[in-house]
Amino acid sequence: MGIVAGLDSSPDFTRIVVCDADTGAVLRQGYAPHPVEAADGAARPSDVDPQAWLLSLGEAAGGGLLEGVQAIGVSAQQNALIPLDAQGNTVRPALVGGDKRAQVAAADLVDALGGREAWAQAVGCVPQAAQPVTKLRWLAKNEPENARRTAVLLQAHDWLVWQLLGRPVRRTTDRGGASGTGYWSAATGSYRPDLVELALGHQTMLPEVIGPSDAAGTTPEGLLISAGTGETMAAAFGLGIGLGDAVVSLGASGSVMAVHPEALADQAGMITSLADATGMHLPVVTTLNAVRTLRGTAELLGLSDLESLSDLAMKSTPGSHGLVLLPYLEGERTPSLPHTAGTLAGLRRESMRPEHLARAAFEGMLCGLADALDVLRGRGVDVRRIFLLGQAAELSAVQAAAPSLFGAQVVVPQPADYAAIGAARQAAWALGVSQGALDPRNPPAWQGAAAQVLDPGDDLAVGQAVRQQFVSVREQTHPGAFRP
């Protein structure tokens, strides 16, 4: 079919990959940081002029990178909210990221609709500080004049697609991006404008949700632009995950998501019910403590990096000589223990060695993520294979313990920008459908990610014993807190 491009506009940079539309082979790449400086020493700003994303995009596409490209897909950071006025101008800088300013607004919204269960039933998720619906409530309370001027709501990938198409009257989004807003339901496939009004004080124009293989439009130069999607959905699409697959992401916090044929409403609010980039669903469960558990343990033991912690942990044995770390260092979402602290149990004279504490940190982190997996499994989600993402996935202690603790085959993909690759695959799908070469129900069958495959094998029984040790301590310490 030719060549296509995918661009990923993350919080910090833009990366572009140019791919063969038939095979997915990456032909060339471009990269540029965002020209954005955080104020007050923050890791990144909470308010960003979206023009910075366009400047970065232009730089990343320099040097003729897009020459010969026939279609482009756009992946972008999730939860960025761009309020526009009636003329299509930005009312204020985009509200991006986790934005802790909106924590009170999130609690207000939960109460205003009648509690967590009401939100889970309405849109498949309970408002968190990062979500666009919560940012709308913050805007109404703190910048009422800007709230009154807001006439149109876009997210980052919506805005970039709209700009690439020359700011047409029609504005579009996709199911994946819409499902994270807090005012679109993946279960019903429709907006809840009443929730926009509840948050902002009045209704607004919302982008049209188009299908996974639909095109958002064509530029005056004839370049087809696909629907676009959020980074999470694009990365899942780039990895090629399907039914039976889950993705465990190891960042400072952790997340577990899996492909499922239907939306999952969770009354406890542990599951965020997102849509994926193919027409399926992508339920997500989050833990607050993943790699931050390892970094804290490394600092406690006087180690300079996670590789040293991993090497030390490998000198211990499964079960850490009875040491169990409940890694709830920042409180926890899964289980819901927002005000608790971590717990170290099983201290005996023979277990009080650095290598056993190091091993307990890895086992505690992975058992916490196994709890998140159990939330999905408990709702009927089939998990036979687990993709493990993040820099910590490369650590030997993680790879040694993960398959037996998760009770499934673990796949560690080769590092790549899977969100940009997923955006390119979406572009190839839309291009193929427009040419009559592809079925709108079936995406192009690109070659899967190069990966290391780890099986639990003979270690499965040992791993499940370690997991049971963790569960016993969790139940003794926080009885009844975890109900998958």
Side-chain angles (χ1 to χ4, degrees):
M1 290 188 294
I3 60 174
V4 295
L7 71 88
D8 174 32
S9 181
S10 84
D12 300 312
F13 60 82
T14 298
R15 191 180 301 279
I16 301 175
V17 296
V18 176
C19 300
D20 181 284
D22 294 304
T23 67
V26 176
L27 306 176
R28 47 187 187 264
Q29 302 183 54
Y31 169 88
H34 288 174
V36 172
E37 293 183 6
D40 305 323
R44 56 172 65 103
S46 298
D47 295 332
V48 174
D49 183 348
Q51 292 294 330
W53 306 333
L54 283 180
L55 290 170
S56 176
L57 192 164
E59 185 179 344
L65 183 77
L66 300 180
E67 187 175 342
V69 167
Q70 295 168 275
I72 292 181
V74 177
S75 156
Q77 60 180 301
Q78 286 158 241
N79 298 320
L81 179 71
I82 303 98
L84 305 179
D85 63 19
Q87 288 71 47
N89 301 312
T90 51
V91 169
R92 68 177 315 285
L95 292 145
V96 301
D99 208 342
K100 292 183 178 179
R101 296 177 299 183
Q103 287 176 338
V104 173
D108 286 348
L109 280 177
V110 171
D111 292 341
L113 194 64
R116 299 169 67 86
E117 182 177 345
W119 278 97
Q121 293 293 339
V123 288
C125 59
V126 178
Q128 305 291 330
Q131 284 182 293
V133 71
T134 306
K135 289 169 177 167
L136 289 179
R137 171 55 71 102
W138 181 90
L139 192 65
K141 294 290 186 184
N142 293 275
E143 299 177 4
E145 180 54 35
N146 284 338
R148 281 192 289 273
R149 290 176 54 215
T150 298
V152 182
L153 298 176
L154 296 180
Q155 293 189 88
H157 81 82
D158 309 337
W159 188 85
L160 286 165
V161 165
W162 185 56
Q163 295 291 328
L164 289 172
L165 291 173
R167 297 163 57 102
V169 172
R170 181 191 187 217
R171 301 176 181 93
T172 63
T173 190
D174 85 307
R175 296 169 66 254
S179 66
T181 59
Y183 45 80
W184 186 88
S185 167
T188 64
S190 58
Y191 280 115
R192 288 289 302 266
D194 58 313
L195 299 182
V196 174
E197 186 169 0
L198 179 70
L200 187 63
H202 62 89
Q203 295 191 11
T204 66
M205 288 184 64
L206 299 169
E208 176 188 346
V209 181
I210 61 176
S213 63
D214 291 344
T218 305
T219 68
E221 297 78 27
L223 191 64
L224 184 141
I225 309 294
S226 64
T229 195
E231 274 188 317
T232 296
M233 300 79 188
F237 196 42
L239 282 167
I241 70 169
L243 291 173
D245 292 333
V247 176
V248 173
S249 288
L250 300 177
S253 56
S255 68
V256 178
M257 62 182 178
V259 178
H260 197 57
E262 59 187 29
L264 297 178
D266 175 42
Q267 297 179 5
M270 284 195 291
I271 298 175
T272 299
S273 189
L274 301 177
D276 79 347
T278 72
M280 302 285 276
H281 294 269
L282 203 64
V284 180
V285 181
T286 302
T287 69
L288 294 182
N289 300 279
V291 175
R292 63 165 44 98
T293 304
L294 304 183
R295 295 201 184 283
T297 306
E299 290 172 9
L300 182 65
L301 292 172
L303 302 174
S304 59
D305 53 47
L306 297 185
E307 288 76 12
S308 300
L309 184 71
S310 174
D311 292 343
L312 183 62
M314 293 298 287
K315 295 178 181 177
S316 181
T317 54
S320 309
H321 274 246
L323 276 189
V324 175
L325 177 63
L326 300 183
Y328 307 151
L329 309 183
E330 298 281 326
E332 189 48 83
R333 278 187 64 181
T334 309
S336 181
L337 295 165
H339 306 300
T340 194
T343 301
L344 183 64
L347 282 169
R348 296 183 179 85
R349 180 65 190 89
E350 64 269 19
S351 66
M352 296 176 71
R353 296 185 60 82
E355 61 266 30
H356 302 324
L357 178 57
R359 179 91 187 195
F362 282 96
E363 290 177 345
M365 175 189 75
L366 293 170
C367 284
L369 289 160
D371 279 351
L373 268 169
D374 280 352
V375 172
L376 296 178
R377 284 170 164 152
R379 295 296 306 277
V381 177
D382 182 26
V383 178
R384 298 187 302 272
R385 184 173 64 160
I386 294 169
F387 286 77
L388 200 55
L389 302 185
Q391 287 186 330
E394 302 289 329
L395 297 174
S396 56
V398 170
Q399 295 189 5
S404 61
L405 292 176
F406 292 156
Q409 184 183 81
V410 169
V411 179
V412 183
Q414 182 177 312
D417 195 321
Y418 291 106
I421 292 169
R425 190 179 179 205
Q426 186 193 65
W429 195 4
L431 178 65
V433 169
S434 74
Q435 295 174 342
L438 288 177
D439 187 322
R441 295 165 299 181
N442 298 310
W446 281 12
Q447 185 175 349
Q452 185 178 4
V453 179
L454 309 167
D455 284 296
D458 295 337
D459 294 332
L460 182 59
V462 174
Q464 294 310 292
V466 173
R467 179 82 199 290
Q468 188 54 51
Q469 180 177 268
F470 177 91
V471 169
S472 296
V473 172
R474 188 194 66 217
E475 282 303 303
Q476 290 166 11
T477 312
H478 306 286
F482 183 67
R483 293 187 177 92

